[in-house]
Amino acid sequence: MFRKDGDMMLFGLSPSERSFRGIWLFLAIYVGSTIFAAVLTPPVYWMVEFGIETFPDNRFAAWLSKYETDVYFDRLRWIGIIIGIPWVMSKCGLFSLKRLGIGASRERISTFLRCFGGGAAIAIFIFSLQVAFTKVSYDGPESSFAHILVGALLSGLIIGFLEELIFRGLIMRCFYTAMGAIPAVILSSAFFAYKHFKVPNSIWDNIPGGRFSAEWNTGFYIAYYDTIGISVDFNLMVFLSLFMFGAVLCVLYLKTKTLMAPMGLHAGIVASIVSYRKIFTISDDPNREIFGNAGMTNGYVALAILTIIFAVLVFKKWGTKESAER
């Protein structure tokens, strides 16, 4: 599995070749979108302030007034990424469902559904332990179960598709083409953990002038604190859990040669998390460090389970139907 495979290489390269071009292209988009957001955050925030002052009774303006400058920065950066990612993928030769291993064949749909069910089962098992050993109460959902499940399913499908397209479909394969399979799994999973590590809200209090004002350099302060925010209240267990989750998704992609597998697992877990949070109330508890809360990556139990799954995937003999299809 960890030997280089021509199907995973970018730019039409053979397994014996290597290229860092994909990494440089992605870094250009990531850094460029960060600078884009840093520059535009103040003027966009000023425009919103002007709109609020001009139309004080406008509901849309009132809604926008609730958001801090760091939220504007985050949304603007995503605009840059969304615009840039298709360009990078076309340059890498990934603007193709076939190259990504995505398709509507019976085998791939079956793979997606099996992995979706597996992801849901993993999450439900962990949440069952939380219900049994921590303070979790059922107070009745605010909306119908059907509404909750449909919303959770849509969230899972959207997040699973977009994140796997970027983190495994693009980033992992850029590292794979440059360095090989093992460095690709390690580095892309580390980046996945870095971007998913929750930055404490207190870090934004360091922005000069506060979060509800903007100077010309406010966006650059936000970019700086967003970059180093992981070092504030750093939790090794959470980082390792996120890393191991990313590694599981990477190995699943390498084993099956189809992005439908990690998309399914990711979607199943996200859909379960969203449903769980909507239906149950999770209270503070001393056992949270062991069993976690409404997430999949913040307890020792989840870390242990993800590590076991990773080991099973690495050493398990996997069927080759997907590979043959390609």
Side-chain angles (χ1 to χ4, degrees), residues 26-42 70 72-82 84 191 194-195 204 217-228:
F26 174 74
L27 285 176
I29 292 299
Y30 181 74
V31 174
S33 63
T34 299
I35 295 173
F36 171 82
V39 171
L40 288 183
T41 293
D70 59 285
Y72 285 86
F73 173 88
D74 182 67
R75 301 299 185 269
L76 286 167
R77 182 170 57 181
W78 268 109
I79 290 174
I81 291 173
I82 290 171
F191 185 72
Y194 169 69
K195 293 310 299 178
W204 306 121
N217 57 355
T218 295
F220 291 95
Y221 275 107
I222 296 173
Y224 169 73
Y225 289 119
D226 178 76
T227 302
I228 61 106

Side-chain angles (χ1 to χ4, degrees), residues 101-112:
I102 301 175
S105 71
R106 179 180 298 178
E107 185 62 35
R108 284 178 180 157
I109 292 174
S110 175
T111 297
F112 177 87

Side-chain angles (χ1 to χ4, degrees), residues 253-272:
Y253 188 25
L254 290 173
K255 281 279 191 176
T256 63
K257 300 296 188 300
T258 172
L259 209 55
M260 298 287 277
M263 280 181 179
L265 186 72
H266 202 152
I269 287 175
V270 171
S272 301

Side-chain angles (χ1 to χ4, degrees), residues 182-213:
I182 294 177
V185 171
I186 294 172
L187 293 175
S188 64
S189 299
F191 185 72
F192 178 80
Y194 169 69
K195 293 310 299 178
H196 282 76
F197 194 95
K198 182 172 176 56
V199 175
N201 287 329
S202 60
I203 197 171
W204 306 121
D205 295 333
N206 296 316
I207 300 173
R211 287 184 275 178
F212 284 97
S213 65

Side-chain angles (χ1 to χ4, degrees), residues 29-109:
I29 292 299
Y30 181 74
V31 174
S33 63
T34 299
I35 295 173
F36 171 82
V39 171
L40 288 183
T41 293
V44 170
Y45 192 79
W46 295 332
M47 288 173 60
V48 171
E49 284 188 321
F50 176 79
I52 294 170
E53 293 174 1
T54 307
F55 307 101
D57 297 326
N58 186 278
R59 291 184 179 180
F60 181 65
W63 175 70
L64 288 175
S65 68
K66 297 186 300 182
Y67 294 103
E68 301 94 331
T69 49
D70 59 285
V71 176
Y72 285 86
F73 173 88
D74 182 67
R75 301 299 185 269
L76 286 167
R77 182 170 57 181
W78 268 109
I79 290 174
I81 291 173
I82 290 171
I83 292 172
I85 286 295
W87 175 76
V88 174
M89 296 191 75
S90 66
K91 292 293 183 182
C92 292
L94 289 173
F95 219 64
S96 161
L97 294 180
K98 182 178 180 181
R99 290 284 291 139
L100 288 166
I102 301 175
S105 71
R106 179 180 298 178
E107 185 62 35
R108 284 178 180 157
I109 292 174

Side-chain angles (χ1 to χ4, degrees), residues 267-316:
I269 287 175
V270 171
S272 301
I273 290 173
V274 173
S275 300
Y276 183 55
R277 287 174 173 168
K278 292 285 187 180
I279 296 173
F280 292 93
T281 299
I282 298 95
S283 306
D284 290 334
D285 189 283
N287 291 329
R288 285 276 167 247
E289 189 172 358
I290 298 173
F291 296 97
N293 53 33
M296 256 291 296
T297 51
N298 48 14
Y300 286 108
V301 169
L303 174 59
I305 290 174
L306 289 169
T307 303
I308 292 170
I309 293 172
F310 175 80
V312 170
L313 287 174
V314 168
F315 296 106
K316 179 184 183 326

